[in-house]
Amino acid sequence: MTHPNPLVVDGDVRACGTCGSYRGWVVISLRDEVWLRCPAGHEQHEPGLDTAWYDRHSGPVTQRHDTYDDRLRDLGH
């Protein structure tokens, strides 16, 4: 899913560990982990989020993808 606003986890705004971006995330749940991708394409695992959080915030699942790259392509990245 896309997350255009700042992402707050446990009261802290998440920022990209590489470039410092804090908006415009792509949030992906993959194999019981949640990953963040910033607008510049840097990726990081987010241990403060889990698949239950993802399911509550992403809305109904309308399709599944076999790989992370397939999902990114579907989102236009």
Side-chain angles (χ1 to χ4, degrees), residues 4-77:
N5 298 318
L7 180 62
V8 179
V9 179
D10 295 328
D12 295 321
V13 174
R14 290 301 188 249
C16 175
T18 303
C19 69
S21 292
Y22 63 93
R23 296 176 170 266
W25 293 108
V26 172
V27 182
I28 294 179
S29 177
L30 182 68
R31 295 184 199 101
D32 297 326
E33 295 180 334
V34 175
W35 288 80
L36 306 176
R37 180 182 172 102
C38 78
H42 306 120
E43 299 169 351
Q44 61 192 40
H45 174 241
E46 177 47 65
L49 300 177
D50 59 17
T51 53
W53 176 93
Y54 184 88
D55 291 344
R56 283 191 309 273
H57 291 86
S58 66
V61 174
T62 57
Q63 54 189 175
R64 298 228 179 246
H65 299 280
D66 292 327
T67 68
Y68 182 82
D69 291 333
D70 288 345
R71 183 62 180 138
L72 286 176
R73 274 192 291 281
D74 183 56
L75 291 170
H77 294 272

